[in-house]
C-alpha cells in the first residue's frame, strides 16, 4: 500500500474530477483540486504536493502552459492526463516537465504505479 500523498488534481470535467478525487481519497491520499489553469496557478505554490495530476485540455489554457508557468517540478511528480495520446502529445508533455502522460479514459489501477513512484520521491525528499 502506498503511503498517503498530497495530490493536486487539475481537471475541468466535474464528473472526472469527483471520480478521481474519491478514488484517491479512498486510498488515503489528501486531494486538492482546481477546475482550471488560473485556479491551479494560484493554489499549487501554496500547497506542498507530492503529485500533480493535470488535464491537458483546460478552459483557460492547457496543462502544458500550467506546468511551464510553475517552477520546474522538483520534489514532486507531475503527470499529464489527456484524451489525446499521439506521440507528439506525449513528447510535448515530457518537454513541459510531465514524467508521465496518461491517455483518458484510464483505469484507476493505471494510477497505482504512478502513486508508488510519487511516494518513493516523497520519501527520498523527506530523507534529505
Amino acid at each position: 500500500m502506498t503511503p498517503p500523498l498530497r495530490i493536486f488534481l487539475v481537471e475541468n470535467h466535474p464528473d472526472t474530477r469527483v471520480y478521481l478525487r474519491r478514488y484517491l481519497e479512498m486510498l488515503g491520499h489528501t486531494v486538492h483540486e482546481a477546475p482550471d489553469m488560473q485556479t491551479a496557478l494560484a493554489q499549487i505554490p501554496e500547497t506542498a504536493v507530492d503529485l500533480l495530476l493535470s488535464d491537458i485540455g483546460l478552459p483557460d489554457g492547457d496543462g502544458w502552459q500550467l506546468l511551464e508557468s510553475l517552477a520546474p517540478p522538483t520534489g514532486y511528480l507531475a503527470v499529464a492526463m489527456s484524451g489525446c495520446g499521439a506521440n507528439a502529445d506525449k513528447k510535448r508533455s515530457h518537454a513541459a516537465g510531465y514524467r508521465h502522460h496518461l491517455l483518458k479514459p484510464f483505469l484507476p489501477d493505471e494510477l497505482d504505479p504512478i502513486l508508488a513512484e510519487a511516494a518513493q520521491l516523497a520519501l527520498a525528499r523527506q530523507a534529505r
Side-chain angles (χ1 to χ4, degrees):
M1 177 124 187
T2 304
L5 297 169
R6 295 167 307 219
I7 300 171
F8 202 101
L9 173 63
V10 185
E11 171 61 61
N12 65 304
H13 187 264
D15 291 342
T16 303
R17 192 172 61 247
V18 167
Y19 173 78
L20 282 170
R21 179 178 41 82
R22 286 183 180 164
Y23 175 73
L24 294 165
E25 288 176 343
M26 180 188 73
L27 296 176
H29 305 297
T30 300
V31 180
H32 303 272
E33 58 186 66
D36 55 50
M37 187 174 79
Q38 291 307 313
T39 304
L41 285 171
Q43 294 178 4
I44 290 171
E46 313 250 332
T47 309
V49 299
D50 302 309
L51 175 63
L52 169 65
L53 292 171
S54 180
D55 190 10
I56 293 300
L58 298 169
D60 58 349
D62 60 49
W64 299 310
Q65 292 169 321
L66 169 67
L67 200 57
E68 290 165 353
S69 296
L70 295 167
T74 55
Y76 69 91
L77 186 68
V79 177
M81 304 179 297
S82 176
C84 301
N87 282 337
D89 298 313
K90 292 177 184 179
K91 285 180 182 178
R92 187 161 178 203
S93 290
H94 291 284
Y98 289 103
R99 179 120 14 126
H100 301 282
H101 182 105
L102 289 173
L103 182 60
K104 295 192 310 187
F106 54 87
L107 297 173
D109 63 352
E110 292 178 63
L111 277 177
D112 294 341
I114 291 170
L115 296 171
E117 184 179 351
Q120 283 184 320
L121 186 60
L123 289 172
R125 186 177 66 242
Q126 291 171 3
R128 288 185 212 148

